[in-house]
Amino acid sequence: MMGKGLQVIFPDYLQEKFVQSALSYIMCNGEGEYLCQNNQCICQCTDEYPQCNCPITDIKIMEKTLTAMSETWASSYKDFENSDEFKSFLKRMPSTHFLPISSVHLLWGSDWDLQARYRLLQSSLEIQRLKIHRTARKLFSLSIRCHHNPNHQMPRERSVIQWLNRVQSFLYCNENGFWGTFLESQRTCVCHTGVTLCQRPIPCVIGGNNSCAMCSLANISQCGSCNKGYKLYRGRCEPQNVDSERSEQFISFETDLDFQDLELKYLLQKMDSRLYIHTTFISNEIRLETFFDPRWRKRMSLTLKSNKNRMDYLHMIIGLSMKICQMRNSSIDPMFFVYVNPFSGSHSEGWSMPFGEHGYPRWEKVRLQNSQCFNWTLLLGNRWKTFFETVHIYLRSRAKIPTGLRNDTGQGPVDLADPNKRQIYIKISDIQVFGYSLRFNGDLLRSAVQQVNQSYTQGSQFYSSSSVMLLLLDIRDRINRLAPPSAPGKPQLDLFSCMLKHRLKLNNSEMIRVNHALDMYSTEILKQSDQLTTKLC
């Protein structure tokens, strides 16, 4: 009887219930009912013990184990940083100049002892990672039947780039017992304590051109000497003899294309390639060599994108030509409005060509032989030539619209089969800007402008570089003389400020200071009357 168990002393109808209760007491600690279904047995918890299925003791042990493993992971990094190999590597880092991350990478890869120690670190971390993964899988499998979700984040291995940045942080953000992270893009430290006491003096940058040739021994952050062609100025390297450079060294106003207006007109009629300026045609409303309905305003632009493609040049426009073809018996008379951006910028920073006003030229229309095409030419010549970066052209038409089309919106597709509509369609076959480019030394001019800006802000040293002031006054005058004509009694447009903003990338405060300094020098030192201008940019 004892071998069969206590259940034999119970009647048949109680034996199964006894076995069920006994299993529930043993397997569920009396906190639920033990049920088996589809080869899986669980405890169906009572309301008093909702966590009866959860092995909370085992889970806490697993979580403590993972925490200890994460600490071991972190200590592996600390052991590597405290190793003789890593410390020796840091000691060998040049301290006489700034080390960008690319230079640190070269030194990192060439240190064989450090690389051997780094491979040991990687092997150790790989073993730890496998252990952490196995323990984490066990933890999550135990937590399936728990209301408690494990809170564990797998540690991540530092990449080589992170180690290189760590080296920079050791070099430049480890001062006064404080620690921080170095940001190369800003050449500054983010201190972990919230104060800026962790940052050491950041050494100067060694390189070519206007970079330092050597850092100063008295102040490691400043230049001690400069490369050939540059001179030391308050800890920085600037182009040598900027004070004695002629204005032609900044902008080559003189050009070999010194034609008279009659010669220019002849060359434009012949479409001489020497006057071509390659521009990019942009329009969302029309396409070249495609007929369109001109009754509604159409916009197109010709741009150079010099700030990206031709940074060493400024560009002059001396003419504009369009080939426009019309249908036979067309009553269309195109009308153009042209806006010019002298040195890039938004549309609001452009000016409108005043055709026929104050002596300004008009469009000339010449019909081509044996065709319905016309050459529309605008000859600015030497008198009205000006700077340009983008030309915006707006086309409207003065047309005698047939009675049947007067209520037509003109927004539908082109219908060349309709004889009434055909006579109002036109197409632009070609559009060309004529002019030439001027050599532009932006770095040299920016250096001169910054000298004026600094002299102005210091006050006491103002006017110390009179030759620079004279040169910039000459450049400002020559640029603004190329502005479009203004109405009698009104000041001319200020193109010089547009050049400062878009080609030298000065902000509004710097533009105001430079212009004010030049105005004060002109009126107080040279005793010349102030030239009023109208703001464009």
Side-chain angles (χ1 to χ4, degrees):
M1 180 182 295
M2 293 300 293
K4 294 183 178 180
L6 293 175
Q7 68 270 24
V8 298
I9 67 175
F10 291 98
D12 292 339
Y13 67 90
L14 292 177
Q15 287 183 7
E16 184 177 352
K17 189 172 184 181
F18 170 80
V19 173
Q20 184 70 37
S21 298
L23 287 172
S24 298
Y25 181 81
I26 296 170
M27 304 301 294
C28 304
N29 296 321
E31 297 175 353
E33 184 179 1
Y34 191 74
L35 299 176
C36 292
Q37 188 177 6
N38 298 329
N39 296 325
Q40 284 191 342
C41 298
I42 62 170
C43 294
Q44 186 173 348
C45 303
T46 61
D47 294 337
E48 293 82 6
Y49 303 98
Q51 293 273 60
C52 71
N53 273 309
C54 182
I56 192 66
T57 303
D58 294 336
I59 287 175
K60 288 183 178 179
I61 293 173
M62 290 284 186
E63 288 182 334
K64 288 182 180 179
T65 302
L66 284 172
T67 300
M69 288 180 173
S70 296
E71 292 173 354
T72 302
W73 183 283
S75 67
S76 297
Y77 284 147
K78 188 61 66 177
D79 291 340
F80 177 75
E81 292 174 356
N82 291 330
S83 67
D84 293 337
E85 293 84 353
F86 189 81
K87 289 181 178 178
S88 299
F89 174 72
L90 289 180
K91 288 180 180 179
R92 288 194 295 271
M93 291 290 98
S95 59
T96 56
H97 60 273
F98 174 71
L99 290 177
I101 203 166
S102 57
S103 298
V104 177
H105 193 195
L106 290 174
L107 296 170
W108 172 279
S110 61
D111 191 321
W112 289 10
D113 292 337
L114 178 69
Q115 290 302 305
R117 183 64 181 82
Y118 182 63
R119 285 192 292 271
L120 288 177
L121 172 66
Q122 290 178 309
S123 300
S124 174
L125 292 178
E126 179 61 19
I127 295 172
Q128 294 181 48
R129 186 183 65 82
L130 294 175
K131 290 181 179 179
I132 293 172
H133 274 226
R134 284 196 297 267
T135 307
R137 282 196 295 268
K138 291 178 182 178
L139 173 62
F140 280 92
S141 63
L142 288 174
S143 303
I144 290 176
R145 297 169 184 170
C146 299
H147 296 297
H148 166 78
N149 289 324
N151 184 17
H152 174 71
Q153 187 174 4
M154 297 293 295
R156 294 183 179 179
E157 186 175 354
R158 286 182 192 165
S159 65
V160 173
I161 294 297
Q162 289 173 314
W163 274 115
L164 300 179
N165 180 251
R166 186 84 169 168
V167 171
Q168 287 182 315
S169 300
F170 273 108
L171 294 175
Y172 308 129
C173 308
N174 187 15
E175 187 74 356
N176 302 316
F178 297 99
W179 170 253
T181 300
F182 184 72
L183 302 178
E184 182 171 340
S185 59
Q186 302 176 22
R187 286 174 54 81
T188 188
C189 296
V190 177
C191 300
H192 298 166
T193 56
V195 295
T196 58
L197 298 176
C198 71
Q199 181 167 322
R200 295 176 176 176
I202 308 298
C204 73
V205 177
I206 300 294
N209 297 330
N210 62 342
S211 297
C212 306
M214 184 180 71
C215 296
S216 171
L217 298 177
N219 186 347
I220 194 70
S221 299
Q222 297 183 353
C223 297
S225 63
C226 300
N227 296 302
K228 185 177 181 180
Y230 292 82
K231 67 177 183 178
L232 190 63
Y233 179 75
R234 294 181 183 174
R236 299 190 312 275
C237 292
E238 297 184 347
Q240 197 170 20
N241 299 327
V242 66
D243 292 352
S244 61
E245 295 285 346
R246 296 164 51 246
S247 60
E248 289 293 318
Q249 298 297 319
F250 297 86
I251 304 174
S252 59
F253 288 99
E254 302 299 329
T255 175
D256 294 332
L257 298 176
D258 188 17
F259 300 112
Q260 299 298 319
D261 282 346
L262 288 177
E263 293 178 288
L264 282 177
K265 185 173 183 179
Y266 174 80
L267 293 174
L268 286 174
Q269 289 174 345
K270 297 296 183 181
M271 304 293 181
D272 194 292
S273 60
R274 287 177 292 176
L275 301 180
Y276 278 10
I277 292 186
H278 179 71
T279 57
T280 301
F281 177 85
I282 300 174
S283 178
N284 293 326
E285 299 170 358
I286 66 173
R287 293 183 180 180
L288 296 179
E289 291 288 358
T290 303
F291 282 98
F292 61 92
D293 189 334
R295 286 177 292 165
W296 296 85
R297 189 186 72 170
K298 304 295 182 183
R299 177 181 174 180
M300 51 193 143
S301 298
L302 298 168
T303 187
L304 290 163
K305 299 183 179 179
S306 296
N307 287 330
K308 294 182 178 179
N309 303 325
R310 303 187 67 189
M311 300 177 64
D312 296 329
Y313 290 91
L314 301 178
H315 307 280
M316 304 293 295
I317 179 173
I318 59 175
L320 187 62
S321 174
M322 285 186 284
K323 181 181 177 182
I324 300 178
C325 298
Q326 304 171 212
M327 289 294 183
R328 193 173 299 275
N329 300 324
S330 173
S331 58
I332 289 294
D333 189 8
M335 185 167 54
F336 303 99
F337 299 87
V338 180
Y339 291 81
V340 178
N341 283 107
F343 303 102
S344 188
S346 63
H347 185 272
S348 61
E349 294 176 320
W351 55 270
S352 175
M353 286 187 172
F355 302 123
E357 299 180 12
H358 321 301
Y360 203 79
R362 300 178 184 270
W363 287 97
E364 297 179 9
K365 178 181 176 183
V366 177
R367 183 168 182 169
L368 301 179
Q369 291 184 351
N370 302 321
S371 73
Q372 290 296 114
C373 298
F374 298 81
N375 263 346
W376 289 72
T377 305
L378 178 67
L379 177 61
L380 300 179
N382 291 314
R383 181 181 180 186
W384 303 114
K385 65 183 179 183
T386 187
F387 294 101
F388 90 103
E389 177 66 25
T390 303
V391 177
H392 304 275
I393 302 173
Y394 294 87
L395 185 147
R396 289 184 181 274
S397 67
R398 293 174 294 192
K400 299 177 182 179
I401 306 299
T403 305
L405 296 178
R406 288 178 181 174
N407 295 327
D408 186 10
T409 62
Q411 300 299 313
V414 172
D415 184 8
L416 296 176
D418 188 333
N420 288 326
K421 289 186 176 181
R422 282 180 50 149
Q423 60 182 303
I424 64 173
Y425 293 148
I426 67 172
K427 71 176 179 181
I428 298 177
S429 297
D430 184 45
I431 183 167
Q432 178 65 52
V433 175
F434 296 95
Y436 55 89
S437 300
L438 306 176
R439 293 287 302 184
F440 173 65
N441 193 330
D443 291 335
L444 190 65
L445 185 56
R446 189 180 295 106
S447 175
V449 168
Q450 290 299 342
Q451 285 191 39
V452 174
N453 191 17
Q454 291 168 5
S455 298
Y456 180 81
T457 55
Q458 291 166 1
S460 60
Q461 298 183 11
F462 191 53
Y463 307 142
S464 60
S465 301
S466 59
S467 58
V468 176
M469 290 288 189
L470 291 171
L471 282 167
L472 289 181
L473 280 171
D474 179 61
I475 290 173
R476 184 173 72 168
D477 179 63
R478 296 178 74 171
I479 288 178
N480 284 341
R481 272 189 308 208
L482 295 168
S486 56
K490 291 187 177 182
Q492 65 183 13
L493 291 177
D494 182 10
L495 300 188
F496 179 73
S497 293
C498 293
M499 188 270 295
L500 295 179
K501 178 179 181 180
H502 294 294
R503 297 310 298 267
L504 300 188
K505 305 300 181 183
L506 268 62
N507 58 39
N508 288 333
S509 299
E510 292 171 326
M511 289 163 51
I512 291 172
R513 285 198 295 267
V514 169
N515 276 309
H516 191 213
L518 294 176
D519 291 339
M520 291 177 63
Y521 187 85
S522 177
T523 55
E524 296 182 14
I525 302 300
L526 302 181
K527 305 301 181 182
Q528 296 177 351
S529 60
D530 191 14
Q531 298 292 327
L532 296 178
T533 56
T534 300
K535 180 180 178 181
L536 180 63
C537 301

